[in-house]
Amino acid sequence: MELRTPTPLQSEHQALYAEITAAAKLEGRTGKAARLVARLLQRHFALEDEFVFPPLGLLPALAQGTIESEMAAAVVMANRLHDELPNLLAVQRVIVAALEELMVVAEEEGHAELVGFAENMMLHEEMERDVSYPTAILIGKYLQLRLKTQEERA
């Protein structure tokens, strides 16, 4: 079973990144603030696609009770997430600060749509922090227990 980022999460990241890269083409302080956010998100999203979101792709199979030895890769990813969580959360705080700056300059320069984008992006980061990250870690812990139990029975 291949570990893959769920399509809705992948699509959401693509849409968010497309929106911020379009804003990065603006002139003035808004464009400069958007370019910073775009650089931060590019690396952040790449890390999430590398080891945060693929375990989430197993949720439908796990909900059906399917446990396969190939799922062990999710344990490795979840352990990495657990170890790197303080760094990911620190990066999120930097992203939120950059989004707050974007909101201020976008408001001043008349780009109200970017204020809404920044607000939505902050909610996105909060959802990842409070839902996606803990869920991915729990998937790893669950699989570790279940795979160990299967090995003991074999």
Side-chain angles (χ1 to χ4, degrees):
M1 175 169 281
E2 184 180 347
L3 284 152
R4 293 190 350 213
T5 297
T7 302
L9 293 175
Q10 195 172 42
S11 296
E12 182 183 31
H13 272 187
Q14 290 169 349
L16 291 168
Y17 191 69
E19 192 168 348
I20 196 62
T21 55
K25 295 174 184 171
L26 294 170
E27 298 292 325
R29 294 182 351 208
T30 301
K32 182 178 178 183
R35 286 187 289 280
L36 173 60
V37 171
R39 282 193 307 274
L40 293 168
L41 289 181
Q42 183 179 31
R43 177 69 180 137
H44 183 65
F45 286 174
L47 286 175
E48 289 176 336
D49 287 338
E50 187 178 326
F51 63 90
V52 176
F53 291 153
L56 298 177
L58 296 176
L59 281 170
L62 293 174
Q64 295 296 316
T66 303
I67 303 292
E68 298 175 2
S69 60
E70 297 85 18
M71 293 177 170
V75 175
V76 174
M77 290 180 185
N79 287 338
R80 181 174 174 197
L81 171 56
H82 180 270
D83 292 346
E84 294 196 27
L85 188 59
N87 293 331
L88 282 171
L89 296 177
V91 169
Q92 278 191 329
R93 288 190 294 276
V94 172
I95 291 169
V96 168
L99 289 165
E100 289 171 344
E101 176 63 18
L102 176 61
M103 287 174 68
V104 169
V105 297
E107 181 85 31
E108 290 173 0
E109 294 184 349
H111 299 285
E113 73 285 358
L114 289 178
V115 174
F117 167 83
E119 290 170 342
N120 288 335
M121 191 66 227
M122 284 189 260
L123 286 173
H124 172 86
E125 292 300 316
E126 186 177 343
M127 186 274 305
E128 288 179 346
R129 183 190 70 229
D130 294 346
V131 179
S132 297
Y133 295 173
T135 302
I137 291 170
L138 284 173
I139 289 168
K141 290 180 180 187
Y142 173 75
L143 281 170
Q144 190 170 20
L145 291 171
R146 290 293 308 271
L147 290 168
K148 182 180 177 184
T149 302
Q150 279 186 344
E151 286 177 13
E152 290 170 355
R153 289 183 183 162

